[in-house]
Every structure is written in C-alpha cells, then in structure tokens.
Amino acid sequence: MFDNLTGKLSGVIKTLRGETRLTESNIQKALREIRLALLEADVALPVIKDFIARVKEKAVGHEVMNSLTPGQALVGVVHQELISIMGREKSDINLSTVPPAVILMAGLQGAGKTTSSGKLAKWLMEQKKKKVLLVSCDIYRPAAIHQLELLAEQVNSDFFPVKPGQKPNEIATAALDYARRHHHDVMIVDTAGRLGIDDAMMQEISQLETLLQPIETLFVVDAMQGQDAVNTAKAFADALPLTGIILTKLDGDARGGAALSVQHITGKPIKFTGIAEKLTGLEAFHPDRMASRILG
Ligand code: GDP
C-alpha cells in the first residue's frame, strides 16, 4: 500500500537503515520527501505545514518493529495520521430530525451540486429507503432547474415544481410546506452557484440556511480544484454552518489533496465522494482509500 511513497523515499530511507528509533534528526530528510509528495498531491501549503508537525510529533521516539524498515515505519505513521485526520469525525449522513430532513447543497458553479443532488437522492432512496423531494433554488439559470428535474425523473424521486417568478426564499418556504404535506423524509435543496465567491450569493444561501434550518449543509467541491479549493472552502465555511463535504470528480486525475485541505480548513468531515458522472457515481467516504491516493 505504501509502495509509491516508499519508492520516493528510497534514497533517504537508506540513511535510516539500522536505526531502531525515529528521531528528529534522522527523519528530517524523509519529512522533506513527504512534504514534496503532499505538494504533488495538491495539498495546500499551510495544511502541509500543520500536518508535517503532527507527523513529527507522532514519529519521534517511535520504536521500529523488526518486520519494518525505519522508512516504512515512518510512512506508516504518515498514513495513519492522514486516516485519523480524515476519519476522526463520524461521516454518516445525519437525518435524525423531524421529517423532512433538509439537506442544503452549497458550492461554486460547476462543482457538481446539481449532479450530486440527484446522486444523493438516489443513494438515500436505495440505501436508506427514504422518500426524497428534490428542490432547485437556482432561479438564475432556468436550465439548472430543468437539469434537476431531469435528474429527478432519472432517479425516480419527486421534484418540486417551481413557479415562474418565485424567489429562492419563496421556493424554499413553499417546498417545505409541500414536503410536509406529501410526507417526504428528506428534501434536498440545490442552490445557485457562481463562478467565484460573491457577497450576494453568500447572502442568499445564508438566508436559505436560516429559513430552512437544514440538518445537513453540504459543501460540494471539485477535487480538481486542488489548492484553490482552500479559498473557496474558507469563504463557504465563514458564511454557513457547514456540516460536511462532498468531494466530486475523483474519477479524474486529481490526487486528492483537496480532500485534506478542505477538511483541514472547514474542520468538517467528507461525507461522500463523486466517482463518476453517472448517477450511481456517489460513494460514502473512505478515509483509508483517500490516504493511499494522496500518498500515491
Ligand atoms: P453545479 O453547477 O455545481 O450544479 O455542477 P453540475 O452538477 O452541473 O456539474 C458540472 C459538471 O460536472 C457536469 O458536467 C457533471 O456531469 C460533472 N460532474 C459532477 N460530478 C462529477 C463526478 O463526480 N465525476 C465526473 N466525472 N463528473 C462530474
């Protein structure tokens, strides 16, 4: 599992040969290689700095077991530390509230909010046997509302019909009433995205959050965004009480560094990953798989 990073470390590992204990001085070069590997995986710099400090703290004084080389022992510490950061909080979707449990989807345009809303509806219907209502508050792009309607048809979930001229707040209120009357267990609310962060968008989604009191506010972020994901995550985490993250497009060639960065910045767990464009392409998050991906 650690082959690749171990491969990268092979040069410095030689200098560790024969050591029975990892010390601050004998792991210095290896830590530099690990820092490089994390940079290559697109983990943001401040996150790498914090992470390396944690690894150092855990590794120094670590006894090397007979079956391992000191280098393997160090990579083992790194791997465990990645998993513990990414899996510390329970990452199950939370639906424990009086129905309808509202899930608010937040993120930039193109991150995969609408697609993930459809995928999540399918997942909740199949895995949790829930009755789901899909709602679009993206009044700025009529195509987005239609896109969600088509997804609802494909996954066989209910779709809230928006009336022309309705404002996001009006849609949200009417949809909530509709979901109560039709006994939906879950209502997934897709919101407008913009190409960049702007105040009007943040205000609008923040008002929706206050109005809907969602049990989950999920930040949808494209894994390919790499280092840029940090700024986006920070802006959304400042504006909204996020409860979790959906990391999309992991079927691309992103190394997954965004996972670590976004989690570190928001302090919220990744709950799902998008692993394909198609509607079955949503998976509950596996910290161990992500750790291996990041380490390469
Ligand atoms: P939104 O603007 O945030 O609602 O983004 P969309 O849901 O419209 O998604 C933007 C594009 O990304 C679409 O072409 C989706 O098919 C694609 N997409 C979303 N999630 C994934 C994923 O996990 N993998 C891949 N390959 N494509 C995805």
mmCIF file of all heavy atoms in Angstrom, residues 33 47 49 55 66 85 93 135 152 179 187 191 200 215 219 223 227 250:
data_model
loop_
_atom_site.group_PDB
_atom_site.id
_atom_site.type_symbol
_atom_site.label_atom_id
_atom_site.label_comp_id
_atom_site.label_asym_id
_atom_site.label_seq_id
_atom_site.Cartn_x
_atom_site.Cartn_y
_atom_site.Cartn_z
ATOM 1 N N GLU A 33 10.794 14.749 1.903
ATOM 2 C CA GLU A 33 10.214 13.982 0.790
ATOM 3 C C GLU A 33 8.694 13.866 0.940
ATOM 4 O O GLU A 33 7.961 13.932 -0.041
ATOM 5 C CB GLU A 33 10.817 12.567 0.735
ATOM 6 C CG GLU A 33 12.271 12.527 0.318
ATOM 7 C CD GLU A 33 12.489 13.080 -1.090
ATOM 8 O OE1 GLU A 33 11.700 12.729 -1.987
ATOM 9 O OE2 GLU A 33 13.435 13.864 -1.285
ATOM 10 N N VAL A 47 -1.617 23.662 5.194
ATOM 11 C CA VAL A 47 -2.114 22.364 5.659
ATOM 12 C C VAL A 47 -0.948 21.382 5.766
ATOM 13 O O VAL A 47 -0.825 20.623 6.732
ATOM 14 C CB VAL A 47 -3.197 21.831 4.683
ATOM 15 C CG1 VAL A 47 -3.745 20.495 5.158
ATOM 16 C CG2 VAL A 47 -4.310 22.847 4.530
ATOM 17 N N LYS A 49 2.122 22.117 6.312
ATOM 18 C CA LYS A 49 2.954 22.533 7.444
ATOM 19 C C LYS A 49 2.407 21.956 8.754
ATOM 20 O O LYS A 49 3.138 21.342 9.542
ATOM 21 C CB LYS A 49 2.963 24.071 7.495
ATOM 22 C CG LYS A 49 4.279 24.621 7.960
ATOM 23 C CD LYS A 49 4.310 26.130 7.797
ATOM 24 C CE LYS A 49 5.037 26.691 8.986
ATOM 25 N NZ LYS A 49 4.534 27.954 9.462
ATOM 26 N N VAL A 55 2.949 14.824 12.220
ATOM 27 C CA VAL A 55 3.646 13.571 11.936
ATOM 28 C C VAL A 55 4.942 13.501 12.745
ATOM 29 O O VAL A 55 5.281 12.463 13.321
ATOM 30 C CB VAL A 55 3.939 13.433 10.425
ATOM 31 C CG1 VAL A 55 4.922 12.307 10.147
ATOM 32 C CG2 VAL A 55 2.648 13.202 9.657
ATOM 33 N N ASN A 66 10.586 -5.031 14.181
ATOM 34 C CA ASN A 66 11.552 -5.835 13.421
ATOM 35 C C ASN A 66 11.163 -6.040 11.967
ATOM 36 O O ASN A 66 12.011 -6.084 11.088
ATOM 37 C CB ASN A 66 11.722 -7.203 14.082
ATOM 38 C CG ASN A 66 12.465 -7.048 15.397
ATOM 39 O OD1 ASN A 66 13.178 -6.054 15.582
ATOM 40 N ND2 ASN A 66 12.280 -7.997 16.297
ATOM 41 N N ILE A 85 -6.909 12.049 10.614
ATOM 42 C CA ILE A 85 -7.428 13.393 10.341
ATOM 43 C C ILE A 85 -8.719 13.311 9.528
ATOM 44 O O ILE A 85 -9.696 13.982 9.812
ATOM 45 C CB ILE A 85 -6.392 14.229 9.551
ATOM 46 C CG1 ILE A 85 -5.292 14.693 10.501
ATOM 47 C CG2 ILE A 85 -7.055 15.426 8.888
ATOM 48 C CD1 ILE A 85 -4.373 15.715 9.902
ATOM 49 N N ILE A 93 -24.326 10.393 6.894
ATOM 50 C CA ILE A 93 -25.270 11.491 6.682
ATOM 51 C C ILE A 93 -26.226 11.531 7.886
ATOM 52 O O ILE A 93 -26.630 10.488 8.383
ATOM 53 C CB ILE A 93 -26.023 11.305 5.341
ATOM 54 C CG1 ILE A 93 -26.871 12.516 5.003
ATOM 55 C CG2 ILE A 93 -26.897 10.059 5.321
ATOM 56 C CD1 ILE A 93 -26.265 13.373 3.954
ATOM 57 N N VAL A 135 -35.413 19.837 -4.801
ATOM 58 C CA VAL A 135 -35.856 21.229 -4.944
ATOM 59 C C VAL A 135 -34.707 22.054 -5.516
ATOM 60 O O VAL A 135 -33.576 21.957 -5.039
ATOM 61 C CB VAL A 135 -36.224 21.818 -3.556
ATOM 62 C CG1 VAL A 135 -36.746 23.244 -3.705
ATOM 63 C CG2 VAL A 135 -37.226 20.938 -2.823
ATOM 64 N N ALA A 152 -34.274 14.135 -11.382
ATOM 65 C CA ALA A 152 -35.323 13.570 -10.526
ATOM 66 C C ALA A 152 -36.071 12.467 -11.275
ATOM 67 O O ALA A 152 -36.359 11.405 -10.721
ATOM 68 C CB ALA A 152 -36.279 14.665 -10.082
ATOM 69 N N ALA A 179 -43.330 19.381 1.106
ATOM 70 C CA ALA A 179 -42.694 18.158 1.617
ATOM 71 C C ALA A 179 -43.417 17.651 2.869
ATOM 72 O O ALA A 179 -43.577 16.439 3.055
ATOM 73 C CB ALA A 179 -41.222 18.424 1.933
ATOM 74 N N MET A 187 -35.589 16.342 2.050
ATOM 75 C CA MET A 187 -35.730 17.349 0.992
ATOM 76 C C MET A 187 -34.326 17.879 0.680
ATOM 77 O O MET A 187 -33.651 18.420 1.556
ATOM 78 C CB MET A 187 -36.637 18.458 1.531
ATOM 79 C CG MET A 187 -36.752 19.679 0.699
ATOM 80 S SD MET A 187 -38.124 20.724 1.367
ATOM 81 C CE MET A 187 -37.326 22.315 1.322
ATOM 82 N N THR A 191 -28.774 24.846 -4.752
ATOM 83 C CA THR A 191 -28.749 26.316 -4.735
ATOM 84 C C THR A 191 -27.942 26.852 -5.922
ATOM 85 O O THR A 191 -27.216 26.111 -6.572
ATOM 86 C CB THR A 191 -28.097 26.833 -3.438
ATOM 87 O OG1 THR A 191 -26.767 26.306 -3.369
ATOM 88 C CG2 THR A 191 -28.888 26.404 -2.222
ATOM 89 N N ALA A 200 -23.413 38.625 -2.777
ATOM 90 C CA ALA A 200 -24.848 38.420 -2.988
ATOM 91 C C ALA A 200 -25.187 36.936 -2.890
ATOM 92 O O ALA A 200 -26.182 36.550 -2.272
ATOM 93 C CB ALA A 200 -25.245 38.978 -4.351
ATOM 94 N N ILE A 215 -30.581 20.054 8.421
ATOM 95 C CA ILE A 215 -29.835 19.175 9.321
ATOM 96 C C ILE A 215 -28.433 18.939 8.738
ATOM 97 O O ILE A 215 -27.471 18.712 9.463
ATOM 98 C CB ILE A 215 -30.586 17.843 9.551
ATOM 99 C CG1 ILE A 215 -29.858 16.925 10.518
ATOM 100 C CG2 ILE A 215 -30.836 17.081 8.268
ATOM 101 C CD1 ILE A 215 -30.377 16.946 11.885
ATOM 102 N N PHE A 219 -21.023 21.150 1.632
ATOM 103 C CA PHE A 219 -20.202 21.941 0.731
ATOM 104 C C PHE A 219 -19.692 21.010 -0.376
ATOM 105 O O PHE A 219 -18.985 20.038 -0.107
ATOM 106 C CB PHE A 219 -19.044 22.557 1.512
ATOM 107 C CG PHE A 219 -18.019 23.251 0.677
ATOM 108 C CD1 PHE A 219 -18.390 24.234 -0.232
ATOM 109 C CD2 PHE A 219 -16.680 22.927 0.794
ATOM 110 C CE1 PHE A 219 -17.433 24.877 -1.011
ATOM 111 C CE2 PHE A 219 -15.719 23.562 0.024
ATOM 112 C CZ PHE A 219 -16.097 24.545 -0.883
ATOM 113 N N ALA A 223 -12.632 18.083 -6.721
ATOM 114 C CA ALA A 223 -11.287 17.642 -6.307
ATOM 115 C C ALA A 223 -10.198 18.209 -7.211
ATOM 116 O O ALA A 223 -9.055 18.388 -6.788
ATOM 117 C CB ALA A 223 -11.215 16.115 -6.302
ATOM 118 N N GLN A 227 -5.343 23.334 -4.929
ATOM 119 C CA GLN A 227 -5.032 24.372 -3.945
ATOM 120 C C GLN A 227 -6.113 25.445 -3.841
ATOM 121 O O GLN A 227 -6.341 26.008 -2.780
ATOM 122 C CB GLN A 227 -3.718 25.061 -4.326
ATOM 123 C CG GLN A 227 -2.564 24.107 -4.494
ATOM 124 C CD GLN A 227 -1.562 24.233 -3.360
ATOM 125 O OE1 GLN A 227 -1.684 25.077 -2.495
ATOM 126 N NE2 GLN A 227 -0.573 23.366 -3.370
ATOM 127 N N LEU A 250 -13.580 12.669 -8.403
ATOM 128 C CA LEU A 250 -12.397 11.892 -8.013
ATOM 129 C C LEU A 250 -12.041 10.848 -9.063
ATOM 130 O O LEU A 250 -11.032 10.170 -8.947
ATOM 131 C CB LEU A 250 -12.622 11.223 -6.657
ATOM 132 C CG LEU A 250 -12.200 12.103 -5.482
ATOM 133 C CD1 LEU A 250 -12.612 11.474 -4.179
ATOM 134 C CD2 LEU A 250 -10.686 12.333 -5.481
#
